Amino acid sequence: MAICYDMRFPELSIALTKRGADILTFPSAFTQTTGMAHWEVLLRSRAIENQCYVAAAAQTGKHNEKRTSYGHAMIVDPWGTILACCREGADVCVANVDHDYIQQVRKRMPVWEHRRHDIYGNVLFNGDKL
Protein backbone atom coordinates (compact mmCIF):
# COMPACT_ATOMS: atom_id res chain seq x y z
CA MET A 1 0.00 0.00 0.00
CA ALA A 2 1.08 3.53 -0.74
CA ILE A 3 -0.60 6.91 -0.24
CA CYS A 4 -1.88 9.51 -2.67
CA TYR A 5 1.32 11.47 -3.20
CA ASP A 6 3.25 8.21 -3.76
CA MET A 7 1.33 7.55 -6.98
CA ARG A 8 3.22 10.44 -8.59
CA PHE A 9 6.45 8.42 -8.38
CA PRO A 10 6.33 5.25 -10.48
CA GLU A 11 9.39 3.75 -8.78
CA LEU A 12 7.48 2.72 -5.64
CA SER A 13 4.81 0.96 -7.71
CA ILE A 14 7.51 -0.78 -9.74
CA ALA A 15 9.27 -1.92 -6.56
CA LEU A 16 6.03 -3.24 -5.06
CA THR A 17 5.17 -5.09 -8.27
CA LYS A 18 8.67 -6.59 -8.47
CA ARG A 19 8.05 -7.92 -4.95
CA GLY A 20 4.88 -9.68 -6.12
CA ALA A 21 2.06 -7.13 -5.78
CA ASP A 22 -0.85 -7.76 -8.13
CA ILE A 23 -2.96 -4.97 -6.61
CA LEU A 24 -1.60 -1.51 -5.87
CA THR A 25 -3.64 0.55 -3.41
CA PHE A 26 -3.60 4.31 -2.98
CA PRO A 27 -5.90 5.71 -0.28
CA SER A 28 -6.00 9.36 -1.24
CA ALA A 29 -7.13 12.90 -0.59
CA PHE A 30 -6.43 14.74 -3.84
CA THR A 31 -7.56 18.34 -3.96
CA GLN A 32 -10.29 19.26 -6.42
CA THR A 33 -7.75 20.98 -8.69
CA THR A 34 -5.14 18.20 -8.83
CA GLY A 35 -7.80 15.51 -8.87
CA MET A 36 -9.49 16.91 -11.95
CA ALA A 37 -6.15 17.18 -13.75
CA HIS A 38 -4.19 14.13 -12.59
CA TRP A 39 -6.27 11.55 -10.66
CA GLU A 40 -7.43 9.28 -13.48
CA VAL A 41 -4.30 9.52 -15.62
CA LEU A 42 -1.99 8.67 -12.70
CA LEU A 43 -4.06 5.68 -11.59
CA ARG A 44 -4.35 4.33 -15.12
CA SER A 45 -0.62 4.90 -15.69
CA ARG A 46 0.37 2.93 -12.58
CA ALA A 47 -1.94 0.09 -13.63
CA ILE A 48 -0.60 -0.02 -17.20
CA GLU A 49 3.09 0.36 -16.29
CA ASN A 50 2.95 -2.39 -13.69
CA GLN A 51 0.29 -4.57 -15.27
CA CYS A 52 -1.54 -4.64 -11.94
CA TYR A 53 -4.93 -3.75 -10.62
CA VAL A 54 -5.05 -0.36 -8.92
CA ALA A 55 -7.58 0.40 -6.20
CA ALA A 56 -7.76 3.95 -4.90
CA ALA A 57 -10.07 5.01 -2.12
CA ALA A 58 -10.58 8.76 -2.06
CA GLN A 59 -11.82 11.41 0.35
CA THR A 60 -14.50 13.56 -1.15
CA GLY A 61 -16.25 16.81 -0.42
CA LYS A 62 -15.61 20.16 1.19
CA HIS A 63 -13.64 20.00 4.45
CA ASN A 64 -13.42 23.73 5.11
CA GLU A 65 -13.27 27.01 3.21
CA LYS A 66 -9.80 26.23 1.83
CA ARG A 67 -9.97 22.49 1.18
CA THR A 68 -12.16 20.35 -1.06
CA SER A 69 -11.21 16.77 -1.90
CA TYR A 70 -11.84 15.44 -5.37
CA GLY A 71 -13.11 11.96 -4.50
CA HIS A 72 -13.82 9.62 -7.43
CA ALA A 73 -12.51 6.43 -5.80
CA MET A 74 -11.54 4.15 -8.65
CA ILE A 75 -10.53 0.61 -9.58
CA VAL A 76 -8.43 0.09 -12.73
CA ASP A 77 -7.42 -3.18 -14.35
CA PRO A 78 -3.91 -4.11 -15.64
CA TRP A 79 -4.79 -2.92 -19.17
CA GLY A 80 -5.77 0.51 -17.87
CA THR A 81 -9.51 0.04 -18.14
CA ILE A 82 -11.53 1.73 -15.41
CA LEU A 83 -13.64 -1.04 -13.87
CA ALA A 84 -15.42 1.09 -11.29
CA CYS A 85 -15.51 4.73 -10.27
CA CYS A 86 -17.46 6.51 -7.55
CA ARG A 87 -19.73 9.42 -8.33
CA GLU A 88 -19.53 12.80 -6.60
CA GLY A 89 -20.18 12.58 -2.86
CA ALA A 90 -20.31 9.48 -0.70
CA ASP A 91 -20.32 6.33 -2.82
CA VAL A 92 -18.93 2.80 -3.01
CA CYS A 93 -17.47 0.98 -5.98
CA VAL A 94 -16.43 -2.65 -6.32
CA ALA A 95 -14.86 -4.80 -9.01
CA ASN A 96 -13.68 -8.36 -9.40
CA VAL A 97 -9.95 -9.05 -9.49
CA ASP A 98 -9.00 -11.74 -11.98
CA HIS A 99 -5.48 -13.03 -11.34
CA ASP A 100 -5.57 -15.03 -14.59
CA TYR A 101 -6.20 -11.78 -16.48
CA ILE A 102 -3.05 -10.27 -14.94
CA GLN A 103 -1.04 -13.16 -16.35
CA GLN A 104 -2.73 -12.83 -19.76
CA VAL A 105 -1.83 -9.14 -19.94
CA ARG A 106 1.76 -9.83 -18.86
CA LYS A 107 2.11 -12.60 -21.42
CA ARG A 108 0.56 -10.52 -24.24
CA MET A 109 2.89 -7.58 -23.50
CA PRO A 110 5.95 -8.79 -21.54
CA VAL A 111 7.22 -5.39 -20.40
CA TRP A 112 8.96 -6.91 -17.37
CA GLU A 113 11.20 -8.89 -19.72
CA HIS A 114 11.82 -5.86 -21.95
CA ARG A 115 12.94 -3.39 -19.27
CA ARG A 116 16.32 -1.85 -20.09
CA HIS A 117 18.00 -1.69 -16.69
CA ASP A 118 21.31 -1.19 -18.50
CA ILE A 119 20.02 2.20 -19.67
CA TYR A 120 17.90 3.56 -16.82
CA GLY A 121 18.91 1.55 -13.76
CA ASN A 122 17.08 -0.88 -11.56
CA VAL A 123 14.42 0.02 -8.99
CA LEU A 124 15.18 -1.57 -5.63
CA PHE A 125 13.72 -1.52 -2.14
CA ASN A 126 16.07 -0.63 0.66
CA GLY A 127 18.07 -3.79 1.33
CA ASP A 128 17.39 -5.45 -2.05
CA LYS A 129 20.35 -6.68 -4.01
CA LEU A 130 20.80 -6.59 -7.79
Side-chain angles (χ1 to χ4, degrees):
M1 177 171 34
I3 62 169
C4 56
Y5 196 61
D6 293 332
M7 82 173 71
R8 293 186 175 280
F9 308 99
E11 296 85 1
L12 176 59
S13 296
I14 292 168
L16 290 169
T17 305
K18 285 175 67 174
R19 286 204 160 192
D22 286 336
I23 304 170
L24 302 171
T25 59
F26 296 98
S28 301
F30 266 51
T31 67
Q32 188 73 26
T33 302
T34 59
M36 288 172 53
H38 301 151
W39 178 248
E40 180 183 323
V41 71
L42 286 170
L43 293 173
R44 293 182 72 209
S45 294
R46 297 301 83 88
I48 293 165
E49 292 164 349
N50 294 285
Q51 299 175 316
C52 287
Y53 284 89
V54 170
Q59 284 187 346
T60 187
K62 189 169 186 160
H63 305 288
N64 58 49
E65 289 302 315
K66 295 182 179 181
R67 172 101 182 156
T68 301
S69 290
Y70 180 64
H72 295 85
M74 189 177 294
I75 303 168
V76 182
D77 79 9
W79 195 248
T81 303
I82 298 170
L83 299 178
C85 182
C86 288
R87 298 178 303 258
E88 289 286 331
D91 198 3
V92 174
C93 65
V94 296
N96 291 321
V97 172
D98 182 348
H99 290 279
D100 291 335
Y101 181 63
I102 295 169
Q103 296 312 313
Q104 289 172 19
V105 168
R106 290 177 180 174
K107 185 176 181 180
R108 188 170 52 209
M109 185 172 289
V111 296
W112 292 97
E113 296 170 23
H114 298 158
R115 289 190 180 269
R116 294 290 310 267
H117 302 291
D118 58 319
I119 295 173
Y120 47 76
N122 203 344
V123 174
L124 302 173
F125 262 125
N126 224 1
D128 281 354
K129 296 189 176 25
L130 286 175

